[in-house]
Amino acid sequence: FTAEPVDALAPTPAPKTTAITGNVITFGSDLLKLSVNEKGWIVGAKLDQYRESLEDGAPSVSVLGENEPHATYLNVGLLGEKGISPFRLLSKETVNGADRVVLRASLSDGRVWDRIFTLSPGSYLISMDDRIQNGSDIKLFRQVVERYPDRESDTFYEHMGPVGLIEDVLQEESYDDLDETGTVRLAATGGWTGIMDRYFITAMYGNQKMDYRYYYKGDGRSYQAGLIDDGQIEGRDAVFKARLYVGPKSIPVLASVNAELERSVDFGWFAPIAKPMHSFLEWLYQYLGNFGFCIIVLVICIKILFFYPTQKSYESMASMRKLQPEMTRLKEQYGD
């Protein structure tokens, strides 16, 4: 047979992409359901294991959402870049019960930007990888944005709002302080940043050996906890890797991430006492399955632990009662 001539310089056909229906694409795992819009932002995150109330049919807890006026979402962008085309769905596949989604956009000069989201079964972690063609001059920012928060929820004994671990120091930025300062800028190797409420947290972190620039902003309406990522160069492409935790402030779950996210649970001044008691309650819960019973056992253990000093105190009080009549007589006799 005679072979057809091949043009070695013929361009490779561009892969087919699909517009994001309704400007939002939804995917997830057994624990977490995400919604991403055409800008590549995560605008919704629901936790299937948690409900808004104990009533049957109660909706799942939404940690991220665009419900106005109070909205919380993850915003990702490129510094100094404008005219970026909307993201389109390049591929979506389910592997072992979790979704892997690839989105594609173009910069104003035609360079390709791919965003890859990967979720693992049984985890609240989201893998976010960005690759920009010929992007050696590109810097990327990520920020958790909260609009019109409940300002009264942040109190002196329990912080809620922008938070982070930077240079091994827990940063708890209050809404009022950000209103006054406008912007707080920090830099660190590793670390994490995010926004939390009483029971849940959205926190992002990157390579714990890389340097990042962190910032916190606020203007009375919108508050941001973000970082700037210089990325890494692979061939001629810029690659940015990050992990996002959207889930409960459960110390065992946070500790399993291995990024010190558990330090977001601040026990305050009584931490030396509260932490051991908390760990003991969690250990008991494995066997009793009811925190009410766990608290009863904890109280009994504390009573046993302090039985001897308490007994001595009672004996001292009993001795004082025996002396009381004599002390009263002496007071009456020599009161002047």
Side-chain angles (χ1 to χ4, degrees):
F1 64 92
T2 303
E4 294 287 340
V6 177
D7 183 0
L9 299 180
T12 303
K16 184 178 180 180
T17 60
T18 305
I20 297 177
T21 306
N23 297 328
V24 173
I25 181 173
T26 302
F27 56 96
S29 66
D30 56 335
L31 298 182
L32 189 61
K33 295 296 185 292
L34 301 180
S35 298
V36 177
N37 66 10
E38 75 280 1
K39 296 179 181 179
W41 301 358
I42 300 179
V43 295
K46 291 186 177 181
L47 308 183
D48 288 343
Q49 302 297 313
Y50 293 88
R51 302 291 173 178
E52 292 286 354
S53 69
L54 296 177
E55 299 175 359
D56 293 337
S60 300
V61 168
S62 294
V63 180
L64 301 180
E66 288 188 298
N67 296 328
E68 295 292 351
H70 181 228
T72 308
Y73 54 89
L74 178 75
N75 171 2
V76 182
L78 305 179
L79 293 180
E81 289 290 334
K82 297 181 179 180
I84 300 172
S85 70
F87 278 94
R88 295 173 66 87
L89 178 62
L90 181 62
S91 67
K92 178 181 178 182
E93 57 182 348
T94 302
V95 180
N96 297 325
D99 286 345
R100 182 179 185 271
V101 173
V102 182
L103 306 179
R104 173 163 290 182
S106 299
L107 307 189
S108 56
D109 56 10
R111 288 182 291 179
V112 174
W113 178 8
D114 286 345
R115 296 211 69 200
I116 305 172
F117 296 96
T118 306
L119 288 84
S120 299
S123 175
Y124 294 101
L125 270 182
I126 307 158
S127 172
M128 302 184 299
D129 297 336
D130 292 89
R131 178 179 290 271
I132 300 176
Q133 184 184 69
N134 299 323
S136 59
D137 59 332
I138 296 292
K139 298 184 187 303
L140 179 144
F141 69 86
R142 303 182 190 89
Q143 59 184 14
V144 183
V145 181
E146 184 179 24
R147 294 174 55 82
Y148 296 105
D150 179 6
R151 303 171 67 89
E152 301 301 322
S153 63
D154 184 20
T155 63
F156 74 94
Y157 61 88
E158 186 177 21
H159 174 75
M160 280 170 273
V163 66
L165 186 68
I166 301 173
E167 288 292 0
D168 202 39
V169 176
L170 185 65
Q171 302 288 334
E172 296 180 329
E173 303 295 337
S174 72
Y175 300 119
D176 292 340
D177 289 345
L178 288 176
D179 288 344
E180 293 180 5
T181 60
T183 303
V184 175
R185 301 184 188 276
L186 302 163
T189 300
W192 56 265
T193 189
I195 288 178
M196 68 180 183
D197 60 22
R198 179 170 286 114
Y199 303 113
F200 303 96
I201 183 172
T202 301
M204 55 186 171
Y205 65 94
N207 188 327
Q208 295 300 294
K209 295 182 179 179
M210 287 182 59
D211 295 331
Y212 297 96
R213 285 165 287 168
Y214 293 92
Y215 60 87
Y216 298 94
K217 294 182 179 180
D219 60 6
R221 298 172 300 173
S222 177
Y223 299 86
Q224 300 93 42
L227 61 83
I228 298 174
D229 188 347
D230 294 334
Q232 295 177 302
I233 302 300
E234 292 184 4
R236 299 174 63 182
D237 298 345
V239 177
F240 306 87
K241 296 180 180 293
R243 300 292 180 268
L244 179 71
Y245 177 91
V246 183
K249 288 166 60 178
S250 167
I251 290 180
V253 177
L254 293 169
S256 67
V257 175
N258 295 321
E260 296 191 89
L261 292 181
E262 66 274 14
R263 291 181 60 178
S264 63
V265 183
D266 188 5
F267 287 90
W269 294 344
F270 296 99
I273 299 173
K275 282 186 176 181
M277 293 174 66
H278 182 270
S279 298
F280 183 64
L281 283 173
E282 287 189 325
W283 178 79
L284 284 175
Y285 186 77
Q286 300 178 68
Y287 302 98
L288 301 181
N290 184 298
F291 276 112
F293 295 150
C294 293
I295 292 172
I296 293 173
V297 173
L298 175 63
V299 172
I300 293 174
C301 291
I302 292 175
K303 288 289 187 180
I304 294 173
L305 182 64
F306 288 95
F307 175 79
Y308 182 77
T310 302
Q311 184 66 19
K312 288 298 181 182
S313 175
Y314 288 155
E315 291 176 358
S316 177
M317 291 171 62
S319 298
M320 290 299 295
R321 283 197 298 270
K322 292 180 179 179
L323 291 175
Q324 192 64 34
E326 183 65 15
M327 293 176 66
T328 301
R329 187 187 65 81
L330 292 173
K331 184 176 181 180
E332 292 175 351
Q333 186 173 354
Y334 303 105
D336 57 352

